[in-house]
Amino acid sequence: MRGVELFRQNCASCHSQERGQNLVGPSLFSVVGRAAASIADFPYSAAMKRSQIVWTPDQLLAYLKAPRKHVPGVKMMFAGLADQKDREDVVAFLATLEHLP
């Protein structure tokens, strides 16, 4: 799956795909369908806490295009993925993370 490699290249240095394993960013295990800023032990930005986002595939696609524009004030320094297909592939990969043991 192409999304796995894109995740490794663009996300894995800050985000774990493992349940309960936060890095600089929160774990992305089961992120699809989860409310933003909902991992209790992660220090989210005030902007993310106020966002009231639920991470649907459409919200993830928009966020991954330009995180700091989608949620102004967010801590994430990643500029985003310009290519729509790359974003779709990453979101498709993220959707598989809820099925890991």
Side-chain angles (χ1 to χ4, degrees), residues 62-90:
Y63 186 73
L64 290 174
K65 183 176 183 178
R68 290 176 286 176
K69 288 182 182 177
H70 192 69
V71 182
V74 73
K75 290 180 187 177
M76 191 159 120
M77 297 308 294
F78 179 65
L81 293 170
D83 185 80
Q84 175 72 20
K85 178 73 168 112
D86 287 351
R87 291 191 305 273
E88 290 170 357
D89 289 346
V90 169

Side-chain angles (χ1 to χ4, degrees), residues 11 16 18 26-27 34 47-48 58 62 67-68 77-78 86 89 97 99:
C11 312
S16 170
E18 304 298 322
S27 168
R34 184 170 79 205
M48 189 58 75
D58 287 342
R68 290 176 286 176
M77 297 308 294
F78 179 65
D86 287 351
D89 289 346
L97 297 181
H99 303 292

Side-chain angles (χ1 to χ4, degrees), residues 11-45:
C11 312
S13 62
C14 295
H15 294 278
S16 170
Q17 61 186 349
E18 304 298 322
R19 179 192 315 258
Q21 184 181 51
N22 298 322
L23 302 175
V24 173
S27 168
L28 296 181
F29 182 85
S30 287
V31 69
V32 177
R34 184 170 79 205
S38 62
I39 295 177
D41 62 345
F42 188 81
Y44 294 97
S45 66

